[in-house]
Amino acid sequence: MKSTRKCRTRVTGLSPTFWLRAWMVVSLSERELHGYELISSLSELFPNLLSPGIGGMGRGYRILKDLEEEGIIIGRWDVEGTGPAKKIYRLTSEGEKLREDIIKHVEEMQDYINKFLELTSKRF
């Protein structure tokens, strides 16, 4: 079921959730990934944003669920192979648009951060 919530790219700024969502969207633009694989790689890349263990995994899966409800990603169950079924995620066309918005937003933030640091270095 598609949610009526809007993706909050601009209002989340530098929040950890913004970066986790952004990284998931960018990662899924490169290839399909299953949830555990995606969340595990997040834990390695951003160890301070996603706590290790069940808590971090739970947060990662909640973000995936939100992205799916927002129509940014779509999941399908892979029942082939050994072991339990795995949910494989990919970006939708809305997700591709969001990816571009995220990249533009981060580029703008980079300019703001550089200006901020420049101003603060002059004052202290």
Side-chain angles (χ1 to χ4, degrees), residues 2 5 10 18 23 33-34 36 43 60 73 110:
K2 197 171 183 178
R5 290 187 304 174
R10 299 245 176 231
F18 168 81
W23 194 89
L33 294 166
H34 64 80
Y36 182 81
S43 297
I73 63 173
Q110 182 178 10

Side-chain angles (χ1 to χ4, degrees), residues 8 11-21 49 59 109:
R8 300 173 309 267
V11 297
T12 55
L14 297 171
S15 75
T17 300
F18 168 81
W19 290 109
L20 294 171
R21 286 173 54 95
L49 295 182
R59 183 175 184 199
M109 286 188 343

Side-chain angles (χ1 to χ4, degrees), residues 70-85:
E70 293 167 12
I72 303 303
I73 63 173
I74 190 166
R76 65 174 171 79
W77 287 101
D78 179 13
V79 294
E80 296 177 14
T82 60

Side-chain angles (χ1 to χ4, degrees), residues 59-103:
R59 183 175 184 199
Y61 281 112
R62 279 190 302 280
I63 293 170
L64 284 171
K65 181 180 177 219
D66 289 345
L67 289 170
E68 194 169 18
E69 287 176 356
E70 293 167 12
I72 303 303
I73 63 173
I74 190 166
R76 65 174 171 79
W77 287 101
D78 179 13
V79 294
E80 296 177 14
T82 60
K86 297 175 183 173
K87 198 163 187 183
I88 307 287
Y89 296 94
R90 69 174 173 80
L91 279 188
T92 63
S93 58
E94 279 296 310
E96 291 292 344
K97 292 175 192 170
L98 178 61
R99 178 188 173 275
E100 296 305 315
D101 289 345
I102 288 169
I103 291 168

Side-chain angles (χ1 to χ4, degrees), residues 8 25 47 81 91 105-106 115:
R8 300 173 309 267
V25 168
L91 279 188
H105 179 61
V106 170
K115 288 175 186 173

Side-chain angles (χ1 to χ4, degrees), residues 112-123:
Y112 294 139
I113 291 168
N114 290 338
K115 288 175 186 173
F116 175 83
L117 292 173
E118 184 181 316
L119 285 171
T120 58
S121 68
K122 291 179 182 178
R123 293 178 184 209

